[in-house]
Amino acid sequence: MTAILYESDTRAIRSAMRKADRRRKLRAFLLVAPLVLFLLVIFIIPIGALLERAVDNPEVIQSLPRTLAALKSWDKVSTPPSVAFDALAQDLAKARNTPNAGTLARRLNYEIPGYRSLLFKTLRKLNSADTALSARDRLLDIDKRWAEPEFWRAIADNGSAYSSYYLLASMDLKRDAHGGIVHVPAGSSAFRDIYGRTFLISLVVTLLTLVLGYPLAYWISRLPRRKANLVMICVLIPFWTSILVRIAAWIVLLQREGLVNKALMQLGLIQTPLDLLFNRVGVYIAMTHILLPFMLLPIYSVMQSVPGTYQRAAISLGSHPFAAFWRVYVPQTYPGVGAGTLLVFIMAIGYYITPALLGGAGDQMISYYVAYFTNQTINWGMASALGFILLLGTLLLYSLYRRLSGRELGLG
């Protein structure tokens, strides 16, 4: 009897523990659910849409279905068979005076410059061509370029709903007639150079903010609390000012007749005004000024937690003050340096307005071209591909940072 009661009590206790555990998990889920939903709506879904736009390729499939079917067995080297000309004539007649004609012409023009004019010329003259002629003769009579395989190959290569064209183009690559990936001709594109420029500018700005921010954070951390708070207020004041206002101020300061040049000339350091605007120098100065607080704050927060007794103990044991600072104090601030460096670098690679207003044509970063393809050429696929490659590079750098800092091994 006692054993039965004991077993019954054990089952009741286990059941109560399971219910309590379920309530605890449900409570924890409800607490994090808003954050998960926020990340899903603000981050995950837009990233998925970005990737889909980068590979989405519906224009040719929607407008030229018969032509694609006729080109399935084509070798992509010789002139297409007559059935392909018939199918193209039927598809173009159906697409005439529809919105699909414009999107098709724009898409094929990305493949071969001049395709847009060829397509619209064919659409205009196709109905008025001699119907006694075959579709092949009519198309060739309108424009001899229809006899060239490369124009047909541009259609045949886009027979899938998804294409790597934009992703390859964003890395200065393309597919040849045999489907292999090759470099685009020299001078046709320069996206890899732009990516290199973007990462170089971001790296230089990150180093400048580190060189300026580290000693400033160290000085502030050694001030009395009241004075440190006052200095931090001065550091945070730029956060209350619009970036456009600060850039406009730098334009006033850095122009040839600005305050900086006038001050340097009055001090006798220069004889003629320096060119500080619409070049890389102005971009470095403005971006460093804007991003300096993002380097300063993480380093300062870590420095506040570093006991000053460690450095004094090293000096008391015979170490040189600089050696004590470099070997004892600086390593303890690495977490703040790493966080500030990562934060500044990631923010810098996405900068648009500062290089656009203060830099020259050779100082624009990749975000400028994302905006160009989005707002001017309305090429969403190319803009998404450039943005995705930039995001991928940022994630790889972040992963490298985590590995170097030992976080993935549980050491950071």
Side-chain angles (χ1 to χ4, degrees), residues 81-210:
S82 298
V83 64
F85 286 88
D86 296 335
L88 180 62
Q90 294 175 26
D91 286 333
L92 292 181
K94 185 177 180 180
R96 181 183 171 88
N97 299 325
T98 66
N100 289 341
T103 57
L104 173 66
R106 184 169 63 246
R107 175 64 184 87
L108 292 176
N109 200 70
Y110 298 153
E111 300 275 351
I112 303 176
Y115 214 128
R116 181 186 180 90
S117 62
L118 169 63
L119 206 58
F120 280 122
K121 177 183 178 181
T122 304
L123 287 170
R124 286 195 311 270
K125 296 185 176 181
L126 188 59
N127 285 347
S128 60
D130 188 356
T131 56
L133 299 175
S134 64
R136 179 191 183 98
D137 292 336
R138 278 185 289 160
L139 289 173
L140 292 178
D141 187 55
I142 292 173
D143 199 302
K144 297 298 182 183
R145 284 178 289 180
W146 287 119
E148 300 177 16
E150 62 173 330
F151 289 92
W152 293 92
R153 193 160 53 240
I155 297 174
D157 289 342
N158 289 282
S160 173
Y162 297 99
S163 170
S164 60
Y165 169 78
Y166 294 116
L167 291 175
L168 292 175
S170 65
M171 294 298 295
D172 294 342
L173 301 172
K174 68 174 184 178
R175 292 192 181 275
D176 59 15
H178 305 288
I181 298 176
V182 297
H183 293 282
V184 299
S188 298
S189 185
F191 288 120
R192 280 191 291 185
D193 293 339
I194 296 169
Y195 278 115
R197 179 196 309 158
T198 298
F199 284 100
L200 175 62
I201 292 176
S202 302
L203 178 61
V204 172
V205 170
T206 302
L207 293 176
L208 290 175
T209 56
L210 179 60

